[in-house]
Amino acid sequence: MIKCLVIDDEPLARSIVVEYLQHHKGIEVVQECGDGFAGVKAIMQHQPDLIFLDIQMPKINGFEMLELVEQAPGVIFTTAFDEYALKAFEANAIDYLLKPFSQERFDAALKKWQEKKSRNAADNKAAGLSEVPAKQPEEQLRIVVKAANDIRIIPVKDVLYLEAYDDYVKVHTPDGLFLKKKTMNYYERVLDPKQFVRVHRSYIIPLTQLTRIETLEKDSHVALLKNGVRVLLSRSGYSKLRSVLGI
């Protein structure tokens, strides 16, 4: 029996997917979820083979939800917005169903997943399906992290600074340190360059936390943050910071 989840904040949209699935034997809807938080918990609990996932949902969107899943199942996106199609396939989606979609279009997406599953089952298991989901505009204002069994939403205004840490980024906040499996290059691209500056290969600082720039020696500088942390500036980082500050 193939296990699947339907994750969408609209009850009618969920019911349509469930109705269409009734035409396919051997597929069981183990749970319906109305938001991304519930979706993450359901994936951890049921370990489904396939999920039908909306993108625009309250609390966290579909892409953010996938970031919190260590090994995502097959994903078929169901959404009313066509502008996310490219980003959906960057997130290794099997297909992208634009609402309203027909039974025929739904069946084609499901067939695509079944063919890919039977053809590349071993490769998919080894590689996983949650590879660099792209951030949406609202995500530029927040960072979603997993802390133990909890999910936390950190507004970027609460970020003290970001620090590189192997394959992760340390997100320093007043409430403590959180790890995010992303890269510094990723956050340098995503965060507002007028507010966040990459001052070193290992550090990104928000201008709201900067109190002053100190000279250590010739061509060597550090940024002093409000919490007392001193961040070393590279030459290019120092130049970039001066440019953003207009000095």
Side-chain angles (χ1 to χ4, degrees):
M1 181 66 72
I2 295 171
K3 297 186 295 183
C4 76
L5 296 173
V6 182
I7 307 170
D8 197 310
D9 62 312
E10 299 178 2
L12 177 59
R14 296 198 304 269
S15 68
I16 290 173
V17 172
V18 172
E19 178 185 341
Y20 286 172
L21 283 170
Q22 291 176 356
H23 294 265
H24 298 271
K25 295 181 179 179
I27 299 180
E28 177 188 9
V29 178
V30 293
Q31 188 174 335
E32 296 180 37
C33 304
D35 60 68
F37 285 158
V40 172
K41 293 179 181 178
I43 289 173
M44 294 173 62
Q45 177 184 350
H46 298 290
Q47 297 295 302
D49 304 288
L50 175 66
I51 61 175
F52 293 89
L53 178 63
D54 190 15
I55 294 177
Q56 290 285 20
M57 296 185 291
K59 299 180 181 178
I60 58 175
N61 66 39
F63 292 119
E64 289 175 314
M65 196 209 78
L66 289 179
E67 283 192 51
L68 301 173
V69 179
E70 292 184 2
Q71 187 170 347
V75 180
I76 295 177
F77 281 104
T78 59
T79 178
F81 302 93
D82 59 1
E83 64 263 33
Y84 300 132
L86 177 59
K87 295 172 182 177
F89 288 112
E90 288 175 352
N92 287 315
I94 302 298
D95 209 339
Y96 188 92
L97 298 178
L98 189 62
K99 300 173 182 175
F101 47 84
S102 65
Q103 175 81 61
E104 182 180 12
R105 179 66 183 89
F106 180 88
D107 293 347
L110 193 56
K111 182 179 180 181
K112 185 185 296 185
W113 172 74
Q114 290 169 326
E115 290 176 347
K116 184 173 182 178
K117 183 175 184 293
S118 61
R119 186 173 61 245
N120 299 317
D123 291 342
N124 286 345
K125 183 177 180 181
L129 294 175
S130 57
E131 180 180 307
V132 196
K135 275 205 169 185
Q136 300 308 304
E138 68 269 19
E139 295 173 67
Q140 297 176 9
L141 303 177
R142 66 197 186 199
I143 299 175
V144 181
V145 299
K146 246 186 2 179
N149 293 323
D150 296 329
I151 298 171
R152 295 188 58 133
I153 297 178
I154 304 171
V156 295
K157 65 181 180 60
D158 292 341
V159 173
L160 302 179
Y161 64 100
L162 301 176
E163 179 183 5
Y165 183 69
D166 292 332
D167 294 332
Y168 293 81
V169 170
K170 290 181 179 180
V171 183
H172 294 267
T173 76
D175 293 329
L177 168 67
F178 301 93
L179 289 177
K180 182 72 172 178
K181 194 169 179 60
K182 285 292 183 184
T183 65
M184 297 294 281
N185 287 339
Y186 176 83
Y187 282 115
E188 185 178 15
R189 292 194 306 269
V190 168
L191 294 174
D192 184 354
K194 295 179 181 178
Q195 298 296 326
F196 287 83
V197 181
R198 180 102 179 248
V199 297
H200 188 277
R201 63 178 299 181
S202 296
Y203 296 99
I204 294 175
I205 65 171
L207 295 184
T208 55
Q209 293 298 318
L210 179 65
T211 59
R212 66 175 180 269
I213 300 172
E214 299 179 345
T215 301
L216 293 181
E217 53 188 53
K218 185 179 180 181
D219 295 329
S220 180
H221 302 82
V222 295
L224 181 64
L225 305 185
K226 289 180 180 179
N227 63 349
V229 170
R230 297 159 69 87
V231 175
L232 182 65
L233 308 180
S234 66
R235 289 187 180 182
S236 62
Y238 175 62
S239 175
K240 189 185 303 182
L241 188 58
R242 283 174 55 93
S243 176
V244 173
L245 293 172
I247 58 177

